[in-house]
Amino acid sequence: MSFLQRLRQQKFLSAVLTAATLGVGVLIGTLITTGVRADKSDKPVTDATPLVIPSPVQLANDFTALVKRVEPTVVFVSTVVEGKPQRPVNEPQRKRRAPQAEEEESEEDGMELFRRFFGRQGPGEATPRRREGTGSGFVVDPKGYIITNHHVVDGADKITVRLHGSQTEHKAKLIGFDHELDLAVVKIDYGKPLPYASVGNSDAVQVGDWSVAIGSPFGLEATVTAGIISAKGRSEVGKQFQNFIQTDAAINPGNSGGPLMNIKGEVIGVNTMIATQSGGYQGIGFALPINTAVKSYNDIIKTGTVTRGSIGISWNPRQTPETMKALGIQQGVIIDNVVAGGPADKGGVKADDIIVSLNGKDVKNGEDLVARIADTPVGNKVNLTVDRNGKRMDLPVVVQDRGEVFKDDPRFARFRKEEESPSSTDAGEPKFGIRVRPVTAEDRESMKLEADRGVVVTNVVQDSFAAEIGMRENDVIVSINRQPVASVDDIRKIQATLKGGDAVAFRVMRPNPVAARAGAAAAGPRFASMFLSGTLPK
């Protein structure tokens, strides 16, 4: 046998032995594995005790009892605003449309203290044809009267309300609103008495008290959060009459108009705004005190509007104790300006006078004076004690309606009652599809308008003739077919002479937001004059 053959034979034998060895190992491992089996007896694997679910037992406490009682009074409010779609700022213009003005955006640099609970569109986005919003409210009268925030229903063409635990939408009617408090009252006809919330006394609220908020944040209905009252009298974050209650109960978008309650389940505030850098809850929320809201509510259900007294003055809220000391006065209000022809002006009050008392009672500061005058019935006479150059004198002043005293102030212009254009009331005549209001003195000065010339468009009806030719809110109509316009009656008279198929040319003044931001010298005049023309539909 050669060496090569012997080598091959040895390799073969080695392979056979290796395979045999592996086979024996696998067989032994299998026998060992199959031999390890669980004990077939009833003995448990471990000494653990099985878990048992107890019978359901409700653990009552102050919060659960409160929620059960109050939750049925809280409602979900939804709104629809119909509007003509507008193009993004950078989108090319279409034919027959007036130039699309750029909307002025406010700059945000951190905490947005006055952020309400509705989002805003980003720059460059088209305005949708139909905008929807949601908020909260609470029933205060079994007949269906509901308190909510004005900004929840402001400008809405349709308001609906869903009651707790129901998906049925009830059409709501706007009874009235108070824009200075951001408060509104709506009503639904339910057919039978509704559960309603109990009103507490917000003057009794103390910092550290428990507070509970119920509402529909992000559309999640009947959400309950709790916290404490973290501050009172927060006047620096709102309007003149809004001295907010501050709470750390979680409040988010959609909570607007919902109730803030004490541990007894009494409403102590109306959730209105939050302080936030993110757009959501960051531990600081603000509610309008219910005592303030009740006064406004009672006016609204009686007359549909809110009337506050005024004497027609302005003052600097930053006057310091050092200033008063230097003038030899302990407390009072230094008058900055007196409205010409207003109650104070007629009563002999002058700028730089210091009002030290009202009807014999000391005036602490401007907020104290305004609050007391606002609560004085219109037409009543008050006695002002003023310090003029170190001499005291008493001046009788008759209180007038705040809205009338400041009727030319643009801050009040958009809340003044709108005048219906003839298009919505006169049958058989061509319809323009607009609502208008008178031009204010400030508008007139800005546009260099002649006296008694022009009306401001406050609403353009969707798909109307006015919308088709490109008319917008805040346009100022100065003439129609070369005929001057100074009132809704002028529009009515001109419209009576027109028929379907006639050509109509509106001369309007349109605000220029670019100029308003950059200044007239940099970006042209603040108002642009243009014609909006079309043919009345037959």
Side-chain angles (χ1 to χ4, degrees):
M1 183 181 293
S2 65
F3 174 77
L4 183 59
Q5 290 176 333
R6 288 198 301 273
L7 181 62
R8 288 176 178 173
Q9 188 175 10
Q10 289 177 355
K11 287 183 177 180
F12 177 75
L13 291 174
S14 297
V16 171
L17 290 173
T18 300
T21 302
L22 290 173
V24 172
V26 170
L27 178 62
I28 293 172
T30 302
L31 292 174
I32 292 173
T33 303
T34 56
V36 180
R37 294 180 180 177
D39 189 354
K40 294 183 179 180
S41 67
D42 294 334
K43 295 180 180 179
V45 176
T46 68
D47 59 354
T49 302
L51 297 177
V52 177
I53 299 176
S55 299
V57 177
Q58 295 183 345
L59 304 176
N61 59 44
D62 289 340
F63 287 108
T64 54
L66 179 158
V67 172
K68 286 183 178 179
R69 186 171 66 256
V70 177
E71 204 170 39
T73 71
V74 182
V75 302
F76 178 76
V77 182
S78 59
T79 62
V80 174
V81 179
E82 304 285 0
K84 287 292 287 186
Q86 296 179 358
R87 297 183 305 281
V89 173
N90 296 325
E91 182 178 322
Q93 300 174 22
R94 297 178 183 176
K95 292 182 179 180
R96 298 186 63 213
R97 299 293 183 186
Q100 193 74 11
E102 179 184 353
E103 291 189 3
E104 186 172 0
E105 296 283 345
S106 60
E107 296 182 358
E108 297 181 6
D109 54 352
M111 187 164 292
E112 197 179 345
L113 282 174
F114 306 113
R115 187 181 184 100
R116 298 303 202 242
F117 302 152
F118 287 91
R120 291 181 307 200
Q121 287 183 221
E125 297 180 13
T127 302
R129 177 179 293 272
R130 178 186 177 96
R131 291 187 291 115
E132 299 181 354
T134 60
S136 305
F138 55 99
V139 181
V140 292
D141 187 297
K143 298 182 181 69
Y145 289 89
I146 296 166
I147 288 178
T148 186
N149 280 142
H150 179 225
H151 73 262
V152 171
V153 298
D154 187 19
D157 294 298
K158 180 182 179 183
I159 305 171
T160 56
V161 168
R162 283 209 305 263
L163 301 176
H164 175 66
S166 172
Q167 293 301 310
T168 302
E169 293 192 340
H170 302 274
K171 186 177 180 181
K173 176 184 178 182
L174 178 63
I175 303 301
F177 62 86
D178 182 349
H179 71 274
E180 293 191 276
L181 292 185
D182 192 12
L183 193 79
V185 178
V186 300
K187 183 180 184 295
I188 63 172
D189 293 321
Y190 188 61
K192 61 181 180 179
L194 289 170
Y196 60 96
S198 298
V199 172
N201 190 324
S202 53
D203 288 344
V205 172
Q206 300 181 72
V207 174
D209 284 351
W210 281 108
S211 59
V212 179
I214 303 181
S216 305
F218 305 108
L220 302 172
E221 298 180 43
T223 296
V224 182
T225 59
I228 64 169
I229 302 299
S230 49
K232 292 174 59 180
R234 289 296 195 200
S235 60
E236 66 271 24
V237 297
K239 298 178 183 178
Q240 188 168 42
F241 299 100
Q242 293 175 320
N243 294 307
F244 288 116
I245 297 172
Q246 181 179 310
T247 180
D248 66 355
I251 297 175
N252 281 291
N255 274 111
S256 272
L260 183 72
M261 295 163 294
N262 59 22
I263 197 64
K264 295 172 63 178
E266 297 171 333
V267 179
I268 55 173
V270 183
N271 297 322
T272 302
M273 65 171 66
I274 57 177
T276 179
Q277 291 177 316
S278 65
Y281 170 72
Q282 288 190 298
I284 301 177
F286 302 102
L288 181 73
I290 195 63
N291 289 18
T292 304
V294 163
K295 294 178 182 177
S296 179
Y297 170 84
N298 288 339
D299 279 350
I300 290 172
I301 61 173
K302 289 177 182 177
T303 65
T305 187
V306 177
T307 301
R308 291 188 175 88
S310 174
I311 57 174
I313 61 169
S314 61
W315 48 276
N316 187 345
R318 296 182 179 84
Q319 61 188 35
T320 64
E322 290 78 10
T323 302
M324 304 303 289
K325 184 177 180 180
L327 296 175
I329 302 295
Q330 292 184 347
Q331 78 279 319
V333 180
I334 304 173
I335 306 303
D336 276 353
N337 182 59
V338 178
V339 176
D345 184 33
K346 293 177 180 177
V349 180
K350 298 182 178 180
D352 296 329
D353 281 351
I354 304 173
I355 299 177
V356 294
S357 72
L358 171 64
N359 291 337
K361 185 178 179 180
D362 290 346
V363 172
K364 299 176 182 178
N365 50 41
E367 294 292 345
D368 178 37
L369 175 65
V370 171
R372 289 162 62 184
I373 291 293
D375 288 341
T376 301
V378 172
N380 280 21
K381 184 181 293 186
V382 296
N383 184 72
L384 300 179
T385 301
V386 304
D387 183 294
R388 180 178 297 170
N389 299 323
K391 295 180 180 180
R392 298 287 178 101
M393 59 182 67
D394 293 330
L395 301 174
V397 175
V398 178
V399 176
Q400 292 184 9
D401 184 347
R402 178 178 169 85
E404 288 299 317
V405 173
F406 295 100
K407 62 183 179 181
D408 291 331
D409 190 321
R411 292 175 299 175
F412 294 87
R414 70 176 289 252
F415 300 105
R416 205 170 295 127
K417 186 176 180 180
E418 297 174 355
E419 296 186 64
E420 295 277 354
S421 78
S423 62
S424 61
T425 57
D426 294 347
E429 296 179 357
K431 297 183 177 181
F432 292 157
I434 55 175
R435 295 188 181 202
V436 299
R437 66 165 174 82
V439 174
T440 66
E442 182 170 317
D443 294 334
R444 204 177 303 285
E445 182 178 353
S446 298
M447 292 178 284
K448 307 301 180 187
L449 283 177
E450 301 173 7
D452 300 325
R453 185 85 178 269
V455 293
V456 179
V457 177
T458 60
N459 181 264
V460 179
V461 178
Q462 181 180 350
D463 297 326
S464 65
F465 171 70
E468 180 63 26
I469 64 176
M471 191 170 292
R472 297 191 220 148
E473 291 184 12
N474 297 321
D475 281 351
V476 179
I477 301 172
V478 295
S479 69
I480 302 175
N481 289 356
R482 292 187 175 182
Q483 299 181 60
V485 170
S487 67
V488 69
D489 287 333
D490 289 340
I491 296 179
R492 194 173 279 118
K493 292 175 183 177
I494 295 171
Q495 183 170 263
T497 66
L498 300 172
K499 61 182 184 299
D502 286 349
V504 181
F506 292 85
R507 183 169 176 263
V508 303
M509 304 289 286
R510 176 164 295 173
N512 180 357
V514 177
R517 285 196 297 268
R526 291 184 58 190
F527 288 84
S529 175
M530 63 185 67
F531 282 97
L532 302 177
S533 307
T535 301
L536 285 172
K538 295 183 178 180

